[in-house]
Coordinates of all heavy atoms in Angstrom, one line a residue:
M1008 N 3.5 21.5 -27.9 CA 3.2 20.4 -28.7 C 1.8 20.6 -29.3 O 1.3 19.6 -29.7 CB 3.4 19.1 -28.0 CG 4.8 18.4 -28.2 SD 5.3 18.3 -29.9 CE 4.3 17.0 -30.5
S1009 N 1.1 21.6 -29.1 CA -0.3 21.6 -29.5 C -0.6 22.6 -30.7 O -1.2 23.5 -30.5 CB -1.2 21.9 -28.3 OG -1.2 23.3 -28.0
L1010 N 0.1 22.2 -31.8 CA -0.2 22.8 -33.0 C -1.6 22.4 -33.4 O -1.9 21.2 -33.2 CB 0.9 22.5 -34.0 CG 2.3 23.0 -33.9 CD1 3.2 22.4 -34.9 CD2 2.2 24.5 -34.1
E1011 N -2.3 23.3 -34.0 CA -3.7 22.9 -34.5 C -3.5 22.2 -35.8 O -3.3 22.8 -36.9 CB -4.5 24.2 -34.7 CG -4.8 24.7 -33.4 CD -6.3 24.8 -33.2 OE1 -7.0 24.7 -34.1 OE2 -6.6 25.2 -32.0
I1012 N -3.4 20.9 -35.7 CA -3.2 20.1 -37.0 C -4.4 19.2 -37.2 O -4.8 18.5 -36.2 CB -1.9 19.3 -37.0 CG1 -0.7 20.2 -36.8 CG2 -1.9 18.5 -38.2 CD1 0.6 19.5 -36.6
I1013 N -5.1 19.3 -38.3 CA -6.2 18.4 -38.7 C -5.8 17.8 -39.9 O -5.0 18.3 -40.8 CB -7.4 19.2 -38.7 CG1 -7.4 20.3 -39.8 CG2 -7.9 19.7 -37.3 CD1 -8.8 20.9 -40.2
C1014 N -6.4 16.7 -40.2 CA -6.3 16.0 -41.4 C -7.0 16.8 -42.4 O -8.1 17.2 -42.3 CB -7.0 14.5 -41.3 SG -7.1 13.7 -42.9
P1015 N -6.3 17.0 -43.6 CA -6.9 17.9 -44.7 C -8.0 17.2 -45.3 O -8.8 17.7 -46.1 CB -5.7 18.2 -45.6 CG -4.6 17.4 -45.2 CD -4.9 16.8 -43.8
R1016 N -8.0 15.9 -45.1 CA -9.2 15.1 -45.9 C -10.4 15.0 -45.0 O -11.5 15.3 -45.3 CB -8.6 13.7 -46.3 CG -9.7 13.0 -46.9 CD -9.1 12.0 -47.9 NE -10.2 11.3 -48.7 CZ -10.6 10.2 -48.4 NH1 -10.1 9.5 -47.5 NH2 -11.6 9.6 -49.0
C1017 N -10.2 14.4 -43.8 CA -11.4 14.1 -42.9 C -11.5 15.1 -41.8 O -12.5 15.1 -41.1 CB -11.3 12.7 -42.3 SG -10.0 12.5 -41.1
E1018 N -10.6 16.1 -41.8 CA -10.7 17.2 -40.8 C -10.7 16.7 -39.4 O -11.3 17.3 -38.4 CB -11.8 18.1 -41.1 CG -11.6 18.7 -42.5 CD -12.7 19.8 -42.8 OE1 -13.6 19.9 -42.0 OE2 -12.4 20.5 -43.8
S1019 N -10.2 15.5 -39.1 CA -10.1 15.0 -37.7 C -8.8 15.1 -37.2 O -7.8 15.1 -38.0 CB -10.6 13.6 -37.8 OG -10.1 12.8 -36.7
D1020 N -8.6 15.3 -35.9 CA -7.3 15.2 -35.4 C -7.1 14.0 -34.5 O -6.1 14.0 -33.7 CB -7.0 16.5 -34.6 CG -7.9 16.9 -33.5 OD1 -8.8 16.0 -33.3 OD2 -7.8 17.9 -32.9
D1021 N -8.1 13.2 -34.4 CA -8.1 12.0 -33.5 C -6.9 11.0 -33.9 O -6.3 10.4 -32.9 CB -9.3 11.3 -33.5 CG -10.4 12.2 -32.9 OD1 -10.1 13.2 -32.1 OD2 -11.6 12.0 -33.2
D1022 N -6.8 10.8 -35.2 CA -5.9 9.6 -35.5 C -4.6 10.0 -36.2 O -4.2 9.3 -37.1 CB -6.7 8.7 -36.5 CG -8.0 8.2 -35.8 OD1 -7.8 7.6 -34.8 OD2 -9.1 8.5 -36.3
L1023 N -4.2 11.2 -35.9 CA -2.9 11.8 -36.5 C -1.8 11.3 -35.7 O -1.7 11.3 -34.5 CB -3.0 13.3 -36.4 CG -4.2 13.8 -37.4 CD1 -3.9 15.4 -37.4 CD2 -4.4 13.3 -38.6
R1024 N -0.7 10.9 -36.4 CA 0.5 10.7 -35.9 C 1.5 11.5 -36.5 O 1.5 11.7 -37.8 CB 0.9 9.2 -36.2 CG 0.6 8.3 -35.1 CD 1.2 6.9 -35.3 NE 1.0 6.4 -36.7 CZ 1.8 5.9 -37.4 NH1 3.0 5.6 -36.9 NH2 1.5 5.5 -38.7
G1025 N 2.5 12.1 -35.8 CA 3.4 13.0 -36.4 C 4.8 12.4 -36.2 O 5.1 11.9 -35.2
T1026 N 5.6 12.4 -37.3 CA 7.0 12.0 -37.3 C 7.8 13.2 -37.8 O 7.7 13.6 -38.8 CB 7.1 10.8 -38.2 OG1 6.2 9.7 -37.9 CG2 8.5 10.2 -38.0
P1027 N 8.7 13.6 -36.8 CA 9.6 14.7 -37.3 C 10.7 14.2 -38.3 O 11.2 13.1 -38.3 CB 10.5 15.1 -36.0 CG 9.8 14.3 -34.8 CD 9.0 13.2 -35.5
L1028 N 10.8 15.1 -39.3 CA 11.8 14.7 -40.5 C 13.1 15.4 -40.2 O 13.1 16.4 -39.4 CB 11.2 15.1 -41.8 CG 9.9 14.5 -42.2 CD1 9.3 15.0 -43.5 CD2 10.1 13.0 -42.3
D1029 N 14.1 15.1 -40.9 CA 15.5 15.7 -40.7 C 15.5 17.1 -41.0 O 16.3 17.9 -40.5 CB 16.4 14.9 -41.6 CG 16.7 13.5 -41.1 OD1 16.5 13.2 -39.9 OD2 17.2 12.7 -41.8
D1030 N 14.6 17.6 -42.0 CA 14.8 18.9 -42.3 C 13.9 19.8 -41.6 O 13.6 20.9 -41.9 CB 14.4 19.0 -43.8 CG 13.0 18.6 -44.2 OD1 12.3 18.2 -43.2 OD2 12.6 18.6 -45.4
G1031 N 13.3 19.4 -40.4 CA 12.6 20.2 -39.5 C 11.1 20.1 -39.9 O 10.3 20.7 -39.1
R1032 N 10.7 19.4 -41.0 CA 9.2 19.4 -41.2 C 8.8 18.1 -40.4 O 9.5 17.3 -39.8 CB 9.0 19.3 -42.6 CG 9.3 20.5 -43.4 CD 8.9 20.4 -44.8 NE 9.7 19.3 -45.4 CZ 9.5 18.7 -46.7 NH1 8.5 19.3 -47.4 NH2 10.2 17.8 -47.1
I1033 N 7.4 18.1 -40.4 CA 6.8 17.0 -39.8 C 5.9 16.2 -40.7 O 5.3 16.6 -41.6 CB 5.8 17.4 -38.6 CG1 6.6 18.4 -37.7 CG2 5.2 16.3 -37.9 CD1 5.6 19.2 -36.7
Q1034 N 6.2 14.8 -40.8 CA 5.4 14.0 -41.6 C 4.1 13.5 -40.8 O 4.3 12.9 -39.7 CB 6.1 12.8 -42.1 CG 5.3 12.0 -42.9 CD 6.1 10.7 -43.6 OE1 6.3 9.8 -42.8 NE2 6.3 10.8 -44.9
L1035 N 3.0 13.8 -41.3 CA 1.8 13.4 -40.5 C 1.1 12.3 -41.2 O 1.1 12.2 -42.4 CB 0.9 14.7 -40.5 CG 1.4 15.8 -39.6 CD1 0.9 17.1 -40.0 CD2 1.1 15.5 -38.1
T1036 N 0.5 11.5 -40.3 CA -0.2 10.4 -40.9 C -1.6 10.4 -40.3 O -1.7 10.5 -39.0 CB 0.4 9.0 -40.6 OG1 1.7 9.0 -41.1 CG2 -0.3 7.9 -41.2
C1037 N -2.7 10.3 -41.1 CA -4.0 10.1 -40.5 C -4.3 8.7 -40.7 O -4.4 8.2 -41.7 CB -5.0 11.0 -41.3 SG -6.7 10.7 -40.8
E1038 N -4.5 8.0 -39.5 CA -4.7 6.6 -39.6 C -6.1 6.3 -40.0 O -6.4 5.3 -40.5 CB -4.5 6.0 -38.3 CG -2.9 6.0 -38.0 CD -2.3 5.4 -36.7 OE1 -3.3 5.4 -35.8 OE2 -1.2 5.1 -36.7
A1039 N -7.0 7.2 -39.9 CA -8.4 7.1 -40.4 C -8.4 6.9 -41.8 O -9.2 6.2 -42.4 CB -9.3 8.2 -39.8
C1040 N -7.7 7.8 -42.6 CA -7.7 7.8 -44.0 C -6.5 7.1 -44.6 O -6.6 6.9 -45.8 CB -7.6 9.3 -44.5 SG -8.8 10.4 -43.9
S1041 N -5.6 6.7 -43.8 CA -4.3 6.0 -44.4 C -3.6 6.9 -45.3 O -3.3 6.5 -46.4 CB -4.7 4.8 -45.0 OG -5.2 3.9 -44.1
I1042 N -3.6 8.3 -45.0 CA -2.8 9.1 -45.9 C -1.8 9.8 -45.0 O -1.9 9.9 -43.9 CB -3.8 10.2 -46.5 CG1 -4.4 11.0 -45.5 CG2 -4.7 9.6 -47.5 CD1 -5.2 12.3 -46.0
T1043 N -0.7 10.2 -45.7 CA 0.3 10.9 -45.1 C 0.6 12.3 -45.8 O 0.4 12.3 -47.0 CB 1.6 10.1 -45.2 OG1 2.1 9.9 -46.4 CG2 1.4 8.7 -44.5
W1044 N 1.1 13.2 -45.1 CA 1.5 14.5 -45.7 C 2.6 15.1 -44.9 O 2.8 14.5 -43.7 CB 0.3 15.3 -46.0 CG -0.3 16.0 -44.8 CD1 -0.1 17.2 -44.3 CD2 -1.3 15.3 -43.9 NE1 -0.8 17.3 -43.1 CE2 -1.6 16.2 -42.9 CE3 -1.8 14.1 -43.9 CZ2 -2.5 15.9 -41.9 CZ3 -2.7 13.8 -42.8 CH2 -3.0 14.7 -41.8
E1045 N 3.2 16.0 -45.4 CA 4.2 16.7 -44.6 C 3.8 18.1 -44.3 O 3.1 18.8 -45.1 CB 5.5 16.7 -45.6 CG 6.1 15.4 -45.5 CD 7.1 15.2 -46.6 OE1 7.6 16.3 -47.2 OE2 7.6 14.1 -47.0
R1046 N 4.2 18.5 -43.3 CA 3.9 19.9 -42.8 C 5.1 20.6 -42.3 O 5.9 20.1 -41.5 CB 2.9 19.8 -41.6 CG 2.3 21.1 -41.1 CD 1.5 21.0 -39.8 NE 1.3 22.3 -39.3 CZ 0.2 22.9 -39.4 NH1 -0.8 22.4 -40.1 NH2 0.1 24.1 -38.8
D1047 N 5.3 21.8 -42.8 CA 6.3 22.7 -42.3 C 5.7 23.5 -41.2 O 4.8 24.2 -41.4 CB 6.8 23.6 -43.5 CG 8.0 24.3 -43.3 OD1 8.3 24.5 -42.0 OD2 8.8 24.6 -44.2
P1048 N 6.4 23.3 -40.0 CA 5.9 24.1 -38.9 C 5.9 25.5 -39.0 O 5.0 26.2 -38.5 CB 6.7 23.7 -37.7 CG 7.6 22.6 -38.2 CD 7.7 22.5 -39.7
R1049 N 6.8 26.1 -39.7 CA 6.9 27.5 -39.9 C 7.2 27.9 -41.3 O 8.2 28.3 -41.7 CB 7.9 28.1 -39.1 CG 7.7 28.0 -37.6 CD 7.1 29.3 -36.9 NE 7.2 30.4 -37.7 CZ 6.8 31.7 -37.3 NH1 6.2 31.7 -36.0 NH2 7.0 32.7 -37.9
P1050 N 6.2 27.6 -42.3 CA 6.5 27.9 -43.6 C 6.6 29.4 -44.0 O 5.9 30.2 -43.3 CB 5.4 27.3 -44.4 CG 4.1 27.3 -43.4 CD 4.8 27.3 -42.0
T1051 N 7.5 29.7 -44.8 CA 7.6 31.0 -45.2 C 7.6 31.3 -46.6 O 7.9 30.3 -47.4 CB 9.0 31.7 -44.7 OG1 10.0 30.9 -45.1 CG2 9.0 31.9 -43.2
C1052 N 7.2 32.3 -47.1 CA 7.1 32.6 -48.6 C 8.6 32.7 -49.2 O 9.4 33.6 -48.7 CB 6.3 33.8 -48.9 SG 6.4 34.3 -50.6
P1053 N 8.9 32.0 -50.2 CA 10.2 32.1 -50.7 C 10.4 33.4 -51.5 O 11.5 33.9 -51.8 CB 10.3 31.0 -51.8 CG 8.9 30.5 -52.1 CD 8.1 30.9 -50.8
T1054 N 9.3 34.1 -51.8 CA 9.5 35.4 -52.5 C 9.7 36.6 -51.7 O 10.6 37.3 -51.8 CB 8.2 35.5 -53.5 OG1 8.1 34.4 -54.2 CG2 8.4 36.8 -54.4
C1055 N 8.7 36.7 -50.7 CA 8.9 37.9 -49.8 C 9.3 37.5 -48.4 O 9.5 38.5 -47.6 CB 7.5 38.6 -49.8 SG 6.3 37.7 -48.9
G1056 N 9.4 36.2 -48.1 CA 9.9 35.9 -46.8 C 8.7 36.0 -45.7 O 9.1 35.8 -44.5
G1057 N 7.6 36.4 -46.1 CA 6.6 36.6 -45.1 C 6.0 35.2 -44.7 O 6.2 34.2 -45.3
D1058 N 5.3 35.2 -43.6 CA 4.8 33.9 -43.1 C 3.3 33.9 -43.0 O 2.7 33.2 -42.4 CB 5.2 33.6 -41.8 CG 5.0 34.7 -40.7 OD1 4.3 35.6 -41.0 OD2 5.5 34.4 -39.6
D1059 N 2.7 34.8 -43.9 CA 1.2 34.9 -43.9 C 0.8 34.0 -45.0 O 0.4 34.6 -46.1 CB 0.8 36.4 -44.1 CG -0.6 36.6 -43.7 OD1 -1.3 35.6 -43.2 OD2 -1.1 37.7 -44.1
L1060 N 0.8 32.8 -44.8 CA 0.5 31.8 -45.9 C -0.8 31.0 -45.6 O -1.3 31.0 -44.5 CB 1.7 30.8 -46.0 CG 3.1 31.4 -46.1 CD1 4.0 30.2 -46.3 CD2 3.1 32.4 -47.3
Y1061 N -1.3 30.5 -46.8 CA -2.4 29.8 -46.5 C -2.1 28.3 -47.2 O -1.3 28.2 -47.9 CB -3.7 30.3 -47.3 CG -3.5 30.6 -48.8 CD1 -3.8 29.7 -49.8 CD2 -2.9 31.9 -49.2 CE1 -3.6 30.0 -51.0 CE2 -2.7 32.1 -50.5 CZ -2.9 31.2 -51.5 OH -2.8 31.5 -52.7
H1062 N -3.0 27.4 -46.8 CA -2.6 26.0 -47.2 C -3.3 25.7 -48.4 O -4.6 26.1 -48.6 CB -3.1 25.0 -46.0 CG -2.3 25.2 -44.9 ND1 -2.5 24.3 -43.7 CD2 -1.2 25.9 -44.5 CE1 -1.6 24.6 -42.9 NE2 -0.8 25.5 -43.2
V1063 N -2.7 24.9 -49.3 CA -3.5 24.5 -50.5 C -3.2 22.9 -50.5 O -2.2 22.5 -51.1 CB -2.8 25.1 -51.7 CG1 -3.6 24.8 -53.0 CG2 -2.7 26.6 -51.6
P1064 N -4.1 22.1 -49.8 CA -3.9 20.8 -49.8 C -4.2 20.2 -51.2 O -5.2 20.4 -51.9 CB -4.9 20.2 -48.9 CG -5.5 21.4 -48.2 CD -5.2 22.6 -49.1
Q1065 N -3.2 19.4 -51.8 CA -3.4 18.7 -53.1 C -3.6 17.3 -52.8 O -2.8 16.7 -52.4 CB -2.2 18.9 -53.9 CG -1.7 20.3 -54.0 CD -2.4 21.2 -54.9 OE1 -3.0 20.7 -55.9 NE2 -2.6 22.5 -54.7
V1066 N -4.9 16.8 -53.1 CA -5.2 15.4 -52.9 C -4.5 14.6 -54.1 O -4.8 15.0 -55.1 CB -6.7 15.2 -52.8 CG1 -7.0 13.7 -52.6 CG2 -7.2 15.9 -51.6
I1067 N -3.8 13.7 -53.8 CA -3.2 12.8 -54.7 C -4.1 11.6 -54.9 O -4.2 10.7 -53.9 CB -1.8 12.3 -54.4 CG1 -1.0 13.5 -54.1 CG2 -1.2 11.5 -55.4 CD1 0.3 13.3 -53.3
L1068 N -4.7 11.4 -56.1 CA -5.6 10.3 -56.4 C -5.0 9.3 -57.2 O -4.1 9.6 -58.1 CB -6.9 10.8 -57.0 CG -7.8 11.7 -56.1 CD1 -8.9 12.4 -57.0 CD2 -8.4 11.0 -54.9
E1069 N -5.4 8.1 -57.1 CA -5.0 7.1 -58.0 C -6.1 6.1 -58.3 O -6.9 5.8 -57.4 CB -3.7 6.3 -57.4 CG -3.0 5.4 -58.3 CD -1.7 5.0 -57.8 OE1 -0.7 5.9 -57.8 OE2 -1.5 4.0 -57.3
K1070 N -6.1 5.8 -59.6 CA -7.2 4.9 -59.9 C -7.0 3.5 -59.4 O -5.9 2.9 -59.6 CB -7.4 4.8 -61.4 CG -8.8 4.8 -61.9 CD -8.8 4.9 -63.4 CE -9.7 6.0 -63.8 NZ -9.8 6.3 -65.2
S1071 N -8.0 3.0 -58.6 CA -7.8 1.6 -58.1 C -8.7 0.8 -59.0 O -9.2 1.2 -60.0 CB -8.1 1.5 -56.7 OG -9.4 2.0 -56.4
R1072 N -8.9 -0.4 -58.6 CA -9.8 -1.3 -59.2 C -11.1 -0.8 -59.6 O -11.7 -0.1 -58.9 CB -10.0 -2.6 -58.4 CG -9.6 -3.9 -59.0 CD -9.7 -4.9 -58.0 NE -8.3 -5.4 -57.6 CZ -7.9 -6.8 -57.9 NH1 -8.9 -7.5 -58.3 NH2 -6.7 -7.0 -57.6
G1073 N -11.6 -1.0 -60.8 CA -12.9 -0.4 -61.2 C -12.7 1.0 -61.5 O -11.6 1.4 -62.0
S1074 N -13.6 1.8 -61.2 CA -13.6 3.3 -61.5 C -13.4 4.0 -60.3 O -13.3 5.2 -60.4 CB -14.8 3.7 -62.3 OG -16.0 3.4 -61.5
Q1075 N -13.2 3.4 -59.2 CA -13.1 4.2 -57.8 C -11.7 4.8 -57.8 O -10.6 4.2 -58.3 CB -13.2 3.3 -56.7 CG -14.7 3.2 -56.2 CD -14.7 3.0 -54.7 OE1 -13.7 2.3 -54.3 NE2 -15.7 3.5 -54.1
M1076 N -11.7 6.0 -57.4 CA -10.4 6.7 -57.2 C -10.1 6.5 -55.7 O -10.9 6.8 -54.8 CB -10.4 8.2 -57.5 CG -10.9 8.5 -59.0 SD -9.6 7.9 -60.2 CE -8.5 9.3 -60.0
S1077 N -8.8 6.2 -55.4 CA -8.5 6.2 -54.0 C -7.5 7.2 -53.7 O -6.6 7.6 -54.6 CB -8.1 4.7 -53.6 OG -6.9 4.5 -54.4
V1078 N -7.6 7.7 -52.5 CA -6.6 8.8 -52.1 C -5.3 8.1 -51.7 O -5.3 7.3 -50.9 CB -7.2 9.5 -51.0 CG1 -6.3 10.6 -50.4 CG2 -8.5 10.2 -51.4
Q1079 N -4.4 8.6 -52.4 CA -3.0 8.0 -52.1 C -2.3 8.8 -51.0 O -1.3 8.3 -50.4 CB -2.1 8.0 -53.4 CG -2.6 7.0 -54.4 CD -2.6 5.6 -53.8 OE1 -1.6 5.0 -53.5 NE2 -3.8 5.0 -53.8
G1080 N -2.6 10.1 -51.0 CA -1.8 10.9 -50.1 C -2.3 12.4 -50.3 O -3.0 12.8 -51.1
I1081 N -1.8 13.2 -49.5 CA -2.0 14.7 -49.6 C -0.7 15.4 -49.6 O 0.2 15.2 -48.7 CB -2.9 15.1 -48.5 CG1 -4.4 14.5 -48.7 CG2 -3.1 16.6 -48.5 CD1 -5.5 15.2 -48.0
H1082 N -0.6 16.3 -50.5 CA 0.6 17.1 -50.6 C 0.2 18.5 -50.3 O -0.7 19.0 -51.0 CB 1.3 17.0 -51.9 CG 2.2 17.9 -52.2 ND1 3.6 18.0 -51.4 CD2 2.4 19.1 -53.0 CE1 4.3 18.9 -51.8 NE2 3.7 19.6 -52.8
V1083 N 0.7 19.1 -49.2 CA 0.2 20.3 -48.9 C 1.2 21.5 -49.5 O 2.4 21.4 -49.2 CB 0.1 20.6 -47.4 CG1 -0.4 22.0 -47.0 CG2 -0.9 19.5 -46.7
E1084 N 0.6 22.2 -50.2 CA 1.4 23.3 -50.7 C 0.9 24.7 -50.1 O -0.1 24.7 -49.4 CB 1.2 23.5 -52.2 CG 1.8 22.4 -53.0 CD 1.6 22.5 -54.4 OE1 1.0 23.5 -54.9 OE2 2.2 21.6 -55.2
Y1085 N 1.8 25.7 -50.2 CA 1.5 27.0 -49.4 C 1.4 28.0 -50.5 O 2.1 28.1 -51.5 CB 2.6 27.3 -48.4 CG 2.7 26.2 -47.4 CD1 3.7 25.2 -47.4 CD2 1.9 26.2 -46.3 CE1 3.8 24.2 -46.5 CE2 1.9 25.1 -45.3 CZ 2.9 24.3 -45.5 OH 3.0 23.2 -44.5
G1086 N 0.5 29.0 -50.2 CA 0.4 30.1 -51.0 C 0.6 31.4 -50.1 O 0.2 31.3 -48.9
C1087 N 1.0 32.4 -50.7 CA 1.4 33.6 -49.9 C 0.3 34.6 -50.2 O -0.1 34.8 -51.4 CB 2.7 34.2 -50.3 SG 3.0 35.8 -49.6
W1088 N -0.4 35.2 -49.2 CA -1.4 36.1 -49.4 C -0.9 37.4 -50.1 O -1.7 38.0 -50.9 CB -1.9 36.6 -48.0 CG -2.8 35.5 -47.3 CD1 -2.5 34.8 -46.3 CD2 -4.2 35.2 -47.7 NE1 -3.4 33.9 -45.9 CE2 -4.5 34.1 -46.7 CE3 -5.1 35.5 -48.6 CZ2 -5.8 33.5 -46.7 CZ3 -6.3 35.0 -48.6 CH2 -6.7 33.9 -47.6
S1089 N 0.3 37.7 -49.9 CA 0.8 38.9 -50.6 C 1.2 38.6 -52.1 O 0.9 39.4 -52.9 CB 2.0 39.5 -49.9 OG 1.9 39.4 -48.5
C1090 N 1.9 37.6 -52.3 CA 2.5 37.4 -53.6 C 1.6 36.4 -54.5 O 1.4 36.7 -55.7 CB 3.8 36.6 -53.5 SG 5.0 37.4 -52.4
N1091 N 0.9 35.6 -53.9 CA 0.0 34.7 -54.7 C -1.4 34.6 -54.0 O -1.8 33.5 -53.4 CB 0.5 33.3 -54.7 CG 1.7 33.2 -55.7 OD1 1.6 33.5 -56.8 ND2 2.9 32.8 -55.2
P1092 N -2.1 35.7 -54.0 CA -3.4 35.6 -53.3 C -4.2 34.5 -54.0 O -4.2 34.2 -55.1 CB -4.1 37.0 -53.5 CG -3.3 37.6 -54.5 CD -2.0 36.9 -54.6
P1093 N -5.1 33.9 -53.1 CA -6.0 32.8 -53.6 C -6.8 33.3 -54.8 O -7.1 34.5 -54.9 CB -6.9 32.4 -52.5 CG -6.4 33.1 -51.3 CD -5.4 34.2 -51.6
E1094 N -7.1 32.5 -55.7 CA -7.9 32.9 -56.8 C -9.1 33.6 -56.4 O -9.9 33.0 -55.7 CB -8.3 31.6 -57.6 CG -7.2 31.2 -58.6 CD -7.6 30.0 -59.4 OE1 -8.7 30.1 -59.9 OE2 -6.9 29.0 -59.4
V1095 N -9.2 34.7 -56.9 CA -10.4 35.6 -56.6 C -11.5 35.1 -57.7 O -11.2 35.2 -58.8 CB -10.1 37.0 -56.7 CG1 -11.4 37.9 -56.3 CG2 -9.0 37.3 -55.7
K1096 N -12.6 35.0 -57.1 CA -13.7 34.7 -58.1 C -14.1 35.9 -58.8 O -14.7 36.8 -58.2 CB -14.8 34.0 -57.3 CG -14.5 32.7 -56.7 CD -15.7 31.8 -56.5 CE -15.5 30.7 -55.6 NZ -14.3 29.9 -55.9
V1097 N -14.0 35.9 -60.0 CA -14.3 37.1 -60.8 C -15.4 36.7 -61.9 O -15.2 35.8 -62.5 CB -13.1 37.8 -61.6 CG1 -13.4 38.9 -62.4 CG2 -11.9 38.0 -60.8
R1098 N -16.5 37.4 -61.7 CA -17.5 37.0 -62.5 C -17.5 37.8 -63.9 O -17.4 39.1 -63.8 CB -18.9 37.3 -61.9 CG -19.2 36.2 -60.9 CD -20.5 36.4 -60.2 NE -20.6 35.5 -59.0 CZ -20.9 34.3 -59.1 NH1 -21.1 33.7 -60.2 NH2 -21.0 33.6 -58.0
G1099 N -17.6 37.3 -65.0 CA -17.4 37.9 -66.2 C -16.1 38.5 -66.6 O -15.9 39.1 -67.6
G1100 N -15.1 38.1 -65.8 CA -13.8 38.7 -66.0 C -13.0 37.6 -66.8 O -13.4 36.5 -66.9
R1101 N -11.8 38.0 -67.2 CA -11.0 37.1 -67.9 C -10.2 36.3 -66.9 O -9.8 36.8 -65.9 CB -10.0 37.9 -68.8 CG -10.5 38.1 -70.1 CD -9.5 38.8 -71.0 NE -8.9 40.0 -70.3 CZ -7.7 40.4 -70.8 NH1 -7.0 39.9 -71.7 NH2 -7.3 41.6 -70.2
T1102 N -10.0 35.0 -67.1 CA -9.2 34.2 -66.3 C -8.0 33.9 -67.2 O -8.2 33.4 -68.3 CB -9.9 32.9 -65.7 OG1 -10.6 32.3 -66.8 CG2 -11.0 33.4 -64.7
H1103 N -6.9 33.9 -66.6 CA -5.7 33.7 -67.3 C -5.2 32.1 -67.2 O -4.5 31.6 -68.0 CB -4.4 34.5 -66.7 CG -4.7 35.9 -67.0 ND1 -4.4 36.4 -68.3 CD2 -5.1 36.9 -66.3 CE1 -4.8 37.7 -68.3 NE2 -5.1 38.0 -67.0
H1104 N -5.7 31.5 -66.2 CA -5.5 30.1 -66.1 C -6.8 29.4 -65.4 O -7.4 30.0 -64.7 CB -4.2 29.8 -65.3 CG -4.4 30.2 -63.9 ND1 -4.1 31.4 -63.5 CD2 -4.6 29.5 -62.8 CE1 -4.3 31.5 -62.2 NE2 -4.6 30.4 -61.7
L1105 N -7.1 28.2 -65.9 CA -8.0 27.5 -65.3 C -7.7 26.5 -64.2 O -6.5 26.0 -64.3 CB -8.7 26.6 -66.4 CG -9.3 27.5 -67.6 CD1 -9.7 26.5 -68.7 CD2 -10.6 28.1 -67.1
P1106 N -8.5 26.4 -63.2 CA -8.2 25.5 -62.1 C -8.0 24.1 -62.7 O -8.6 23.7 -63.7 CB -9.4 25.6 -61.2 CG -10.5 26.2 -61.9 CD -9.8 27.0 -63.0
D1107 N -7.4 23.2 -62.0 CA -7.2 21.9 -62.4 C -8.4 21.1 -62.3 O -8.6 20.1 -63.1 CB -6.2 21.1 -61.5 CG -4.7 21.7 -61.8 OD1 -4.5 22.2 -62.9 OD2 -4.0 21.8 -60.9
R1108 N -9.3 21.5 -61.5 CA -10.6 20.7 -61.4 C -11.8 21.8 -61.5 O -11.5 23.0 -61.2 CB -10.6 20.0 -60.1 CG -10.4 21.0 -58.9 CD -10.4 20.2 -57.5 NE -9.7 21.0 -56.5 CZ -10.2 22.1 -56.0 NH1 -11.3 22.7 -56.5 NH2 -9.5 22.9 -55.1
L1109 N -12.8 21.2 -61.9 CA -14.0 22.1 -62.0 C -14.8 21.9 -60.6 O -14.9 20.8 -60.2 CB -14.8 21.7 -63.1 CG -14.1 21.8 -64.5 CD1 -14.9 21.2 -65.7 CD2 -13.8 23.2 -64.8
D1110 N -15.4 23.0 -60.2 CA -16.2 22.8 -59.0 C -17.5 22.2 -59.3 O -18.2 21.8 -58.4 CB -16.6 24.1 -58.4 CG -15.6 25.1 -58.2 OD1 -14.5 24.9 -57.6 OD2 -15.8 26.2 -58.8
G1111 N -18.0 22.2 -60.6 CA -19.3 21.7 -60.9 C -20.5 22.6 -60.3 O -21.6 22.2 -60.3
S1112 N -20.1 23.8 -60.2 CA -21.1 24.7 -59.6 C -21.6 25.6 -60.8 O -22.5 26.5 -60.6 CB -20.4 25.7 -58.6 OG -19.4 26.5 -59.3
Q1113 N -21.3 25.3 -62.0 CA -21.8 26.1 -63.0 C -22.9 25.4 -63.9 O -22.6 24.2 -64.3 CB -20.7 26.4 -64.1 CG -19.8 27.5 -63.4 CD -18.7 27.9 -64.4 OE1 -18.2 27.1 -65.1 NE2 -18.4 29.2 -64.3
Ligands
ZN1731 ZN1 -8.1 11.8 -42.1
ZN1732 ZN1 5.1 36.3 -50.4

């Protein structure tokens, strides 16, 4: 029972609650952030069947009162190192798609 699970938002494992779902995944709740997400204990790549995957947490934001964005939840997607390696930072190269968000590092 000691999978290394941390909250993708606050990176704490103190306030996590896990609820097994019917399909074998686990729904996790971080009570510190009041967010929930689902985790597949053994995700595999649908393309190559490999299990060498990395996590891509997608924060779901929603505009609340005023201009503050509040976190509604986190949807964890998986990427495959073989089929979908994480975006490599190429300087001066062509990029075929732009990330959804800007890092603000430019
Ligand atoms: Zn949290
Ligand atoms: Zn793959």
